[in-house]
Amino acid sequence: MRRPWGWLCLLVLLAAPVMAQDVPPALKDWQDWVLHEAPLHACPVLVTNGKTMGAKECTWPGRLALDAGKDGARFAMDVHVDARSWVSLPGDSRNWPQQVTAGGKPLVVLDHFGAPALQLEPGDYSVHGVLPWDSRPARLRVPGTIGLVTLTLDGNAVARIERDGDQLTLGEAAAAQRAADALSLRVFRKLTDGMPAMLETQLQVNVTGSAREQLIGPVLPKGFTATSLQGGLPARLENDGRLRVQLRPGHWMISLGARSSDVLGHLAVNLPGDPWPKQEIWSYADDTSLRTTRVEGQAVDAGQADVPSDWNSLPAYALDNANGLAIEQGTRGGEGGKGDQLALTRDLWLDFDGRGFSANDRLVGTLARSQRLDVAAPWQLLNASQGESPMLITVGDKHTSGLEVRDTNLELSAGLRMPRSGDMPSGGWQLPLEHIEATLHLPYGYRLIGASGADLSPDSWIAQWSLLDLFVVALIALLAGRFLGWPWALAAVVFLALSLHEGGAPRWTLAVALALALLMRALPEGRLRLVSRLAAGALLLLAILWSLPFAATQMSYALHPQLEGKVELPVESESSESRAVSMKQEVKPQPAPAPAVEEASTNAVPMSAPAPPPPPAPPAPPADILAGQEAPAGYSEPKHKALSSVTVTGTPLTASQTIGQEMDAHRPLQAGRGTPHWDVGNNYHLEWSGP
């Protein structure tokens, strides 16, 4: 029977603080019994800056009124108690409280950790007592839990109360010291966007002179409700929004938390009078997961404004009676949040006849918004798999092929096809990509002139040109024009532009030969001119002999590209998904069965025209041959014949299988066409960066 009562105790614990009035009459008599083992259930939990500290506070003492004379002092204090707790009293072992009463009933003062205290049950009390002494002490112990104190000395009220820790001075500061009393404030606020918006205020208080009590504020702007208060000075937030503080000399920090009751828009401040500063410094922290905002105000440098170090990275603004803060909303929720973070790695193969491209894509990243991946024309999605699991390709609302994805961490492999060459979309997928790396595989006889849309294509013909290459071509063309005539300069430019980056093309030999030929013209008759003529002729002959095999090789490659290297014909790998298609071998002709699936796959390979029927199957061998006996004379083993027919069948998919992407091994999926894997070394790297 202990478990049902345990659940009943938990239920009452959760419901009692809020809905105690809704307890059924039959259970009201059980409340004290159920809550016996949870004595602190009614105590509030301390919350600071929106975070639960975990501790509960059960005693709430009010203002302490102390009337001190020569023979002793009388004190009065109101206390609210939420659970049986210890309540500290003023006094110490030398000045022990006497005649302590609450509501006219005497109370026993006990020693609690060396200090006088009362142990009270839950309720509201008005505690009165006497502190006798023979001679009035200079200081009296007052617990730190008592924030506000009113002191009367020999019938005269003390305006400037001086406290040092838990010691209260029974007197008043001198008049000379009173004249030096000063108070300066600096106000820093941090506004955090949210639901609701949170405002953290830090008051930097610099106090000189005597200890005293002062009202400051109102400390919160209009539209904010206080949620927490902490600091090094005793303080209380009054009902009118002003902060009552008992000051003492030193530099202090008071933090005040608040929440907004409205959605942030335009914020204006109405600064109170002295000692409040003429300007407040606000720091703003937005929440992009909730919405994006744009803030307008009088911006200041956070470093020069001495903003607290924890807020240095936030934008800071100066607010006064004339300048407020305008917060304009941009996008909300998922509209402005972090989007899909995907990177694409692609291998791209050009057909040997140059009429289309095949691609193998690998999409890796995180999906924050999208649940469907579609491929835009002219790309065609043939097959896809997530890890080792094949995915079902369906047709979307805009007649685009794609697939449904349920996992936010994406590692997708897909085969694509573009049936024509021309302008090619860089991605093809209908979602933003952060980065694309592609490797273009070209057959022999092809060269990539340039990729105008790619951010980086270092291997293309245009990208390989450098300033040195342009200088070499211009130099050789100039030498050819001066020596042979300007038509030959044009021929040299065309030859060098086509052959400069091809292996085995003559470059420097031709340039040196032309330079020596021009030098020969400038030299007078003699040995030097003869040597120049012989060297120019030899180098020119060497350039011609070098160019002839190069030109022959290039001509052979143009006529027969496969001669450029050992070519491995593109063997299209069979997709693993193709095993899902069942094929039946029929020996005898049979009528065609009814189709099992009416709708065709969106990316199925088109079927060719039906071939003529094959010849009939050979007769079976005699039974005695099958039994292992010797074949009769004249009998020959029949040759294998082609299949009589091939029937492709399928089974319709249920909705649950389509949504969950969990496929039965015996059910068909799109196999698509095979993906090429050949590599003849004629590869080009392409790259796109940024969304």
Side-chain angles (χ1 to χ4, degrees):
M1 295 297 293
R2 300 177 64 89
R3 184 178 298 273
W5 290 115
W7 284 108
L8 178 61
C9 179
L10 178 61
L11 179 61
V12 175
L13 282 176
L14 295 176
V18 180
M19 303 179 64
Q21 67 277 11
D22 296 332
V23 177
L27 298 179
K28 286 185 178 181
D29 296 337
W30 293 88
Q31 292 187 58
D32 295 337
W33 179 80
V34 171
L35 298 176
H36 177 71
E37 296 183 359
L40 305 182
H41 70 279
C43 300
V45 180
L46 295 181
V47 177
T48 302
N49 297 332
K51 298 181 180 178
T52 302
M53 305 302 293
K56 291 188 175 183
E57 190 67 32
C58 298
T59 60
W60 302 91
R63 179 185 290 271
L64 173 65
L66 188 63
D67 185 5
K70 295 181 179 180
D71 299 331
R74 295 182 179 275
F75 65 89
M77 178 178 60
D78 293 333
V79 181
H80 174 76
V81 180
D82 291 319
R84 181 181 176 87
S85 306
W86 289 94
V87 178
S88 298
L89 297 178
D92 49 28
S93 59
R94 299 182 60 183
N95 303 294
W96 196 264
Q98 305 288 336
Q99 304 176 17
V100 178
T101 61
K105 296 181 180 180
L107 299 176
V108 179
V109 180
L110 303 175
D111 187 340
H112 184 62
F113 295 106
L118 300 174
Q119 194 169 32
L120 301 178
E121 298 292 338
D124 294 320
Y125 299 89
S126 180
V127 181
H128 297 267
V130 176
L131 292 168
W133 53 61
D134 296 333
S135 61
R136 184 171 61 198
R139 294 173 178 269
L140 179 67
R141 175 191 168 275
V142 174
T145 56
I146 300 176
L148 300 179
V149 177
T150 300
L151 178 61
T152 302
L153 191 63
D154 297 330
N156 299 319
V158 178
R160 294 172 174 81
I161 298 177
E162 183 177 356
R163 296 181 66 177
D164 186 8
D166 60 352
Q167 297 297 319
L168 174 65
T169 301
L170 299 180
E172 189 172 2
Q177 187 179 6
R178 252 184 268 153
D181 289 349
L183 173 64
S184 63
L185 289 176
R186 299 193 68 185
V187 181
F188 298 94
R189 302 185 192 267
K190 175 188 174 183
L191 181 62
T192 303
D193 191 21
M195 292 297 291
M198 305 301 295
L199 179 64
E200 182 180 353
T201 303
Q202 286 193 7
L203 300 177
Q204 296 182 3
V205 185
N206 190 15
V207 183
T208 58
S210 60
R212 56 202 182 271
E213 182 177 300
Q214 186 162 349
L215 281 172
I216 303 173
V219 293
L220 289 177
K222 186 178 180 181
F224 286 88
T225 304
T227 57
S228 63
L229 176 63
Q230 61 181 354
L233 292 175
R236 183 178 71 185
L237 193 63
E238 302 290 349
N239 293 332
D240 58 359
R242 293 188 296 174
L243 187 67
R244 185 180 297 274
V245 187
Q246 287 192 343
L247 304 175
R248 60 179 182 267
H251 185 75
W252 311 96
M253 180 75 70
I254 299 177
S255 297
L256 179 64
R259 60 175 176 82
S260 174
S261 56
D262 299 323
V263 179
L264 296 182
H266 181 75
L267 294 175
V269 295
N270 186 15
L271 301 180
D274 293 334
W276 202 267
K278 303 300 181 183
Q279 194 177 64
E280 298 177 358
I281 304 299
W282 288 51
S283 300
Y284 180 74
D286 60 347
D287 187 359
T288 56
S289 62
L290 177 66
R291 63 173 184 170
T292 59
T293 54
R294 185 170 60 89
V295 182
E296 293 183 357
Q298 186 177 354
V300 296
D301 186 2
Q304 296 183 0
D306 294 334
V307 172
S309 58
D310 296 341
W311 306 346
N312 272 336
S313 59
L314 301 176
Y317 304 88
L319 273 69
D320 51 27
N321 291 331
N323 299 297
L325 203 64
I327 301 176
E328 182 180 350
Q329 177 176 288
T331 56
R332 298 181 60 185
E335 298 175 355
K338 187 176 181 181
D340 301 331
Q341 303 289 326
L342 296 178
L344 173 63
T345 303
R346 168 174 290 171
D347 284 300
L348 193 63
W349 289 272
L350 176 65
D351 295 346
F352 274 65
D353 57 4
R355 295 183 179 179
F357 288 91
S358 299
N360 183 17
D361 285 2
R362 291 175 296 278
L363 276 172
V364 179
T366 303
L367 291 175
R369 303 180 190 172
S370 304
Q371 291 186 342
R372 178 177 174 84
L373 306 180
D374 287 317
V375 174
W379 285 108
Q380 299 174 359
L381 182 59
L382 303 181
N383 55 71
S385 62
Q386 174 86 331
E388 299 295 333
S389 302
M391 308 290 286
L392 178 64
I393 301 173
T394 57
V395 177
D397 296 336
K398 300 181 179 179
H399 303 285
T400 57
S401 59
L403 50 96
E404 302 288 338
V405 180
R406 297 293 179 260
D407 194 358
T408 57
N409 296 324
L410 186 67
E411 293 184 5
L412 183 73
S413 298
L416 289 86
R417 175 70 182 170
M418 194 174 78
R420 60 176 178 81
S421 59
D423 293 338
M424 178 188 301
S426 58
W429 297 90
Q430 290 189 325
L431 74 167
L433 301 173
E434 295 294 326
H435 187 76
I436 302 177
E437 286 190 5
T439 301
L440 176 61
H441 303 272
L442 296 183
Y444 287 126
Y446 287 88
R447 294 293 184 270
L448 179 63
I449 298 177
S452 59
D455 296 337
L456 183 64
S457 57
D459 305 325
S460 62
W461 180 80
I462 295 177
Q464 289 180 351
W465 282 87
S466 63
L467 290 177
L468 178 60
D469 297 332
L470 294 177
F471 174 76
V472 171
V473 172
L475 177 62
I476 296 178
L478 178 62
L479 295 176
R482 295 294 299 272
F483 180 67
L484 301 174
W486 296 114
W488 287 97
L490 181 60
V493 169
V494 174
F495 171 75
L496 292 173
L498 296 177
S499 64
L500 187 64
H501 298 103
E502 296 290 337
R507 289 185 293 271
W508 295 106
T509 306
L510 182 61
V512 174
L514 293 175
L516 290 177
L518 289 175
L519 181 63
M520 177 191 65
R521 288 185 177 182
L523 293 176
E525 292 293 338
R527 292 184 177 181
L528 189 59
R529 184 172 184 177
L530 179 61
V531 172
S532 176
R533 180 182 300 175
L534 293 177
L539 289 175
L540 185 59
L541 179 61
L542 179 62
I544 294 174
L545 295 178
W546 201 330
S547 300
L548 289 178
F550 172 75
T553 302
Q554 294 296 320
M555 185 64 68
S556 299
Y557 291 166
L559 296 177
H560 306 286
Q562 63 273 21
L563 297 178
E564 191 172 351
K566 184 180 179 181
V567 180
E568 297 179 3
L569 294 178
V571 179
E572 296 187 348
S573 62
E574 181 183 4
S575 302
S576 59
E577 296 85 358
S578 61
R579 291 193 297 269
V581 181
S582 60
M583 304 180 65
K584 297 182 179 179
Q585 178 179 354
E586 301 177 359
V587 178
K588 296 181 179 181
Q590 296 180 358
V597 184
E598 292 294 335
E599 56 270 7
S601 170
T602 58
N603 56 358
V605 179
M607 302 294 294
S608 58
D624 53 354
I625 296 179
L626 295 178
Q629 300 179 6
E630 186 177 358
Y635 179 82
S636 60
E637 184 75 14
K639 296 183 179 181
H640 294 288
K641 300 297 182 179
L643 298 179
S644 60
S645 64
V646 175
T647 304
V648 179
T649 62
T651 305
L653 299 174
T654 61
S656 61
Q657 291 172 323
T658 304
I659 296 177
Q661 295 292 334
E662 299 175 357
M663 299 301 168
D664 189 355
H666 300 288
R667 296 185 183 274
L669 287 176
Q670 293 91 338
R673 58 183 296 162
T675 303
H677 291 281
W678 53 265
D679 187 356
V680 297
N682 191 17
N683 303 329
Y684 298 89
H685 180 75
L686 305 176
E687 188 172 343
W688 291 262
S689 299

